[in-house]
């Protein structure tokens, strides 16, 4: 369930990028010196340097086969970088900002890392430091627990959707604690909005203004290159509302690969990036809003409840691989042991009606796992990983609703009604579906149209500028 604000913004954005796809051609980029060992980070809005696979220690035939496989399985923007050089490129989206879905969370994590590196707050700061209105249980939760999705707050998908229609910050501070904090992973959405709100409280800037000034601009990414939607109450939708150009998300991946350094600037402390790659007891396959291949097991993001698989997330790929991941197959994968960044934006090439969730959930779809395995296996100057076929694992997630208990958890009508009407134990006192923060729903919808429309209009006007 999405709010009117999210639906209107998403619909407007979808229509705009569809039209733009018909009129925005891609222009070729000149090759860098193939003899260079490494390409420097781009200066300003310049493009990444290019090289050949062989010049960077990659088998060109194997890489081409991997990219062909990625295209056949639904990827329409595929980029492979090694040693800072673009060595494989099949970017059908050109300069169109493409919706990242939940890979937006990874971008938000990088922005949080920037704010922490600047000293605005710390990973283990309690929420009570920023939200003095929080009760003792909520005040004791930490920034780290929000980043790792281990707050233990009561979570249902329907309740999270209802919170988007009111105020996710207030709703998160009202949701009861269902598990001991730090012990249980739940792939929540609404609670994550506490993170950009903390940035706003500590910096005095709107979160998106902070992101542009402190992260995007140093990376050479102009403000009209990305669109980030907001929820009903104006909070940035870090759970899945960001759209970016493929060339630009690669810069974020390269920043992570280089331990937070870009050119001569340390934008994000290396310690934050190292901690971001560590799993938790609640989910060894999840770090600071990134999915990890280092865990011997991982817990999924499926509905109505998550499932645990007792194997690494990406069989046959390097165990240090971690990724920003979004629904339908959005990946910005970082592989430190291969000095590699892999971008894959797209959709599934086929959907199995009997196993719908596996097809749609990017981190469980075996085609995505096999794509990453093939790309990393093309590296010829590093010992290969032990052979492991992703298709040999049972990644079946079962039906979205398989029992009456599933239905009750998914719908949770009492919870949703209380949130939307603003009455009851799960409700934020001064906010409901009709009236929130002194404004009626039509005012919020109009504000959403202005905000989303302005961002989308700027992005469309900038289609012919930038790296492509």
């Amino acid at each position: 369930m999405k709010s009117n604000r999210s639906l209107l913004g998403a619909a407007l954005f979808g229509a705009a990028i569809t039209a733009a796809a018909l009129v925005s051609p891609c222009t070729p980029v000149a090759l860098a010196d193939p003899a260079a060992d490494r390409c420097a980070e781009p200066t300003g809005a310049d493009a990444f340097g290019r090289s050949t696979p062989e010049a960077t220690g990659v088998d060109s035939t194997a890489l081409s086969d991997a990219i062909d496989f990625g295209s056949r399985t639904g990827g329409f923007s595929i980029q492979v970088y090694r040693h800072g050089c673009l060595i494989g490129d099949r970017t059908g989206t050109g300069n169109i900002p493409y919706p990242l879905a939940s890979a937006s969370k990874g971008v938000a994590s990088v922005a949080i890392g920037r704010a922490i590196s600047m000293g605005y707050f710390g990973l283990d700061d309690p929420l009570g430091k920023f939200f003095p209105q929080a009760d003792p249980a909520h005040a004791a939760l930490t920034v780290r627990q929000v980043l790792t999705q281990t707050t233990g707050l009561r979570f249902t998908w329907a309740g999270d959707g209802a919170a988007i229609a009111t105020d996710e910050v207030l709703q998160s501070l009202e949701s009861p604690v269902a598990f001991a904090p730090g012990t249980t992973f739940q792939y929540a959405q609404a609670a994550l909005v506490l993170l950009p709100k903390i940035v706003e409280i500590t910096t005095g800037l709107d979160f998106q203004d902070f992101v542009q000034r402190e992260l995007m601009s140093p990376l050479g990414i102009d403000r009209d290159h990305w669109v980030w939607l907001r929820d009903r109450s104006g909070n940035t939708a870090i759970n899945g509302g960001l759209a970016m150009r493929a060339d630009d998300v690669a810069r974020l991946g390269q920043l992570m690969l280089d331990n937070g350094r870009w050119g001569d600037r340390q934008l994000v402390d290396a310690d934050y990036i190292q901690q971001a790659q560590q799993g938790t007891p609640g989910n060894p396959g999840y770090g600071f809003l990134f999915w990890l291949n280092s865990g011997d097991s991982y817990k999924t993001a499926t509905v109505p409840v998550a499932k645990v698989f007792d194997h690494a997330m990406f069989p046959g790929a390097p165990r240090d691989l971690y990724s920003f991941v979004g629904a339908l197959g959005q990946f910005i994968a970082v592989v430190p042991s291969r000095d590699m960044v892999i971008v894959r934006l797209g959709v599934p090439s086929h959907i199995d009606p009997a196993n719908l969730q596996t097809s749609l959930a990017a981190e469980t779809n075996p085609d995505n796992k096999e794509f990453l395995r093939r790309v990393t296996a093309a590296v010829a100057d590093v010992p290969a990983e032990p052979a492991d076929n992703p298709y040999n694992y049972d990644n079946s997630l079962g039906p979205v609703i398989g029992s009456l208990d599933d239905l009750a958890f998914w719908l949770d009508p009492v919870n949703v009604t209380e949130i939307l009407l603003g009455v009851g134990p799960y409700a934020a006192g001064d906010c409901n579906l009709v009236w929130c923060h002194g404004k009626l729903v039509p005012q919020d919808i109009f504000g959403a149209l202005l905000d989303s429309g302005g961002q989308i209009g700027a992005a469309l006007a900038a289609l012919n500028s930038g790296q492509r």
Side-chain angles (χ1 to χ4, degrees):
M1 177 179 181
K2 292 184 178 180
S3 66
N4 291 335
R5 184 168 196 147
S6 296
L7 286 171
L8 285 170
L12 181 60
F13 178 72
I17 64 169
T18 300
L22 302 177
V23 299
S24 177
C26 299
T27 55
V29 180
L31 291 177
D33 178 7
D37 292 333
R38 181 177 179 85
C39 298
E41 288 89 352
T43 301
D46 292 345
F48 274 92
R50 293 198 177 200
S51 186
T52 63
E54 273 77 14
T56 60
V58 175
D59 184 302
S60 59
T61 300
L63 180 61
S64 179
D65 288 345
I67 294 175
D68 287 344
F69 176 84
S71 296
R72 290 197 308 272
T73 53
F76 41 71
S77 282
I78 296 173
Q79 298 179 358
V80 179
Y81 298 80
R82 187 151 200 248
H83 303 329
C85 306
L86 180 58
I87 62 170
D89 183 14
R90 199 169 297 174
T91 306
T93 55
N95 272 343
I96 299 171
Y98 184 77
L100 300 183
S102 281
S104 306
K105 297 179 176 72
V107 179
S109 178
V110 182
I112 297 302
R114 174 61 178 156
I116 289 174
S117 301
M118 295 178 72
Y120 284 110
F121 54 92
L123 274 169
D124 296 304
D125 282 352
L127 297 189
K129 181 176 180 179
F130 318 106
F131 305 104
Q133 73 272 35
D135 63 33
H138 291 81
L141 298 174
T142 67
V143 172
R144 183 188 300 273
Q145 289 163 351
V146 179
L147 280 168
T148 57
Q149 300 268 32
T150 60
T151 62
L153 294 178
R154 185 177 189 275
F155 166 72
T156 67
W157 285 95
D160 260 26
I164 295 171
T166 54
D167 188 312
E168 294 174 278
V169 171
L170 294 179
Q171 189 55 50
S172 297
L173 295 176
E174 294 290 335
S175 296
V177 178
F179 302 96
T183 64
T184 302
F185 171 87
Q186 298 181 103
Y187 193 65
Q189 310 297 310
L192 298 182
V193 81
L194 295 169
L195 297 171
K197 183 58 67 175
I198 290 170
V199 171
E200 292 178 351
I201 290 169
T202 56
T203 68
L205 293 172
D206 176 80
F207 178 71
Q208 294 184 24
D209 291 340
F210 174 84
V211 168
Q212 180 58 39
R213 190 184 78 179
E214 296 296 338
L215 183 62
M216 300 297 193
S217 183
L219 295 178
I221 302 171
D222 291 340
R223 181 61 185 89
D224 54 9
H225 287 191
W226 54 276
V227 177
W228 211 331
L229 303 179
R230 300 176 189 266
D231 70 9
R232 152 82 181 278
S233 295
N235 303 305
T236 298
I238 73 164
N239 48 15
L242 176 62
M244 291 185 69
R245 301 176 176 193
D247 293 348
D248 290 336
V249 296
R251 293 172 182 248
L252 290 161
Q254 190 66 41
L255 176 70
M256 297 297 288
L257 181 64
D258 290 339
N259 285 312
R261 193 166 187 84
W262 190 262
D264 60 356
R265 295 186 64 185
Q266 189 72 37
L267 297 179
V268 182
D269 284 347
D271 180 63
Y272 177 88
I273 292 175
Q274 292 305 311
Q275 292 191 61
Q277 300 172 53
Q278 306 303 312
T280 66
N283 190 351
Y286 199 81
F288 290 173
L289 305 180
F290 303 113
W291 292 93
L292 315 174
N293 202 38
S294 56
D296 293 328
S297 66
Y298 68 96
K299 192 174 185 180
T300 67
T302 50
V303 297
V305 293
K307 183 175 181 179
V308 175
F309 288 118
D310 292 323
H311 58 80
M313 179 171 289
F314 303 110
R319 294 299 298 273
D320 64 343
L321 182 153
Y322 66 98
S323 186
F324 310 51
V325 177
L328 305 182
Q330 319 320 319
F331 284 89
I332 304 97
V334 181
V335 196
S337 63
R338 302 304 189 268
D339 198 24
M340 180 173 276
V341 173
I342 305 164
V343 175
R344 188 270 190 199
L345 305 178
V347 296
S349 60
H350 66 277
I351 295 176
D352 180 2
N355 199 9
L356 185 63
Q357 291 197 75
T358 298
S359 301
L360 300 180
E363 76 279 3
T364 53
N365 189 317
D367 289 345
N368 298 331
K369 299 172 187 284
E370 175 64 5
F371 167 68
L372 293 175
R373 187 199 68 79
R374 291 191 183 200
V375 172
T376 55
V379 176
D381 60 359
V382 173
E385 294 293 316
D388 202 353
N389 186 346
Y391 294 101
N392 288 339
Y393 294 86
D394 178 13
N395 288 299
S396 175
L397 298 173
V400 174
I401 298 174
S403 67
L404 290 177
D405 287 341
D406 287 351
L407 180 62
F409 183 85
W410 175 247
L411 296 178
D412 200 355
V414 174
N415 187 6
V416 170
T417 301
E418 290 177 338
I419 293 170
L420 295 180
L421 297 185
V423 294
Y426 306 126
D430 63 345
C431 191
N432 57 59
L433 183 62
V434 176
W435 181 269
C436 193
H437 303 304
K439 293 186 295 182
L440 292 168
V441 150
Q443 294 173 273
D444 288 332
I445 293 175
F446 183 67
L449 289 172
L450 288 178
D451 180 72
S452 301
Q455 290 189 66
I456 294 166
L460 293 175
L463 285 180
N464 293 321
S465 68
Q467 302 94 313
R468 278 284 114 190

